[in-house]
Amino acid sequence: MIPKAVFREAIKVAKSSPCNYKVAAVLFKGPSIINSKTNSSKIIGYRKDCFCWEPTRQAEINVMHGIQRVVLQERQLFVLLFTSEDKITCAYPCRACIKAILKTGLGKVYYTDWDGKIQKLDLSSINLHGYLKYPT
């Protein structure tokens, strides 16, 4: 399970997200927090009557960005999501994030489920394309 300090950090970081759905990712080893980031998107300009924005950059990618692969190996990741109503809900990583996680060699990944409970992602059941492996 994850340490309480990691859970508290995830809540603090998620609440600082500028997005409606506030996602936090905390990279840790034991009780030590290595890095924590949130999802981000920003308006980059206006064109006629609509605005242009950068696509949301996932918290999982943000937290790993710029950290050497050797540091990421055998570390743990916790992902938490707040809705716009401040309710903790499912933060299961998307396929692109799972692919990045698998390539880094992270040891364990935890996420919040639909009920706000912490679940462990079984990385051994997922291939590099982000799909579940099925028995042949």
Side-chain angles (χ1 to χ4, degrees):
M1 205 37 95
I2 65 165
K4 288 181 183 179
V6 171
F7 189 76
R8 285 193 300 268
E9 176 73 6
I11 290 172
K12 181 180 88 173
V13 170
K15 288 186 175 186
S16 72
S17 172
C19 302
N20 285 337
Y21 288 90
K22 302 169 182 310
V23 181
V26 180
L27 186 65
F28 67 100
K29 182 175 184 179
S32 300
I33 296 171
I34 297 163
N35 198 9
S36 59
K37 297 286 181 179
T38 185
N39 57 328
S40 59
S41 65
K42 62 182 178 180
I43 296 173
I44 58 174
Y46 288 88
R47 186 179 59 202
K48 295 186 181 175
D49 291 332
C50 61
F51 62 89
C52 303
W53 69 92
E54 291 181 359
T56 299
R57 185 158 172 189
Q58 310 290 10
E60 298 93 317
I61 303 298
N62 283 342
V63 79
M64 294 184 292
H65 185 74
I67 298 178
Q68 294 178 339
R69 185 173 291 186
V70 69
V71 174
L72 291 171
Q73 291 176 351
E74 300 305 317
R75 300 310 189 262
Q76 298 176 55
L77 180 68
F78 174 54
V79 187
L80 175 135
L81 184 146
F82 269 108
T83 65
S84 54
E85 294 87 29
D86 279 347
K87 177 185 173 202
I88 296 175
T89 189
C90 187
Y92 188 89
C94 71
R95 189 174 297 139
C97 289
I98 288 174
K99 189 174 179 178
I101 288 166
L102 289 170
K103 286 185 173 187
T104 63
L106 280 171
K108 295 178 185 173
V109 176
Y110 299 94
Y111 65 96
T112 52
D113 66 12
W114 291 106
D115 298 321
K117 296 178 183 166
I118 299 170
Q119 302 294 326
K120 182 180 174 190
L121 180 61
D122 182 8
L123 295 174
S124 66
S125 68
I126 302 171
N127 66 25
L128 273 177
H129 300 291
Y131 295 103
L132 289 173
K133 293 179 186 174
Y134 293 104
T136 55

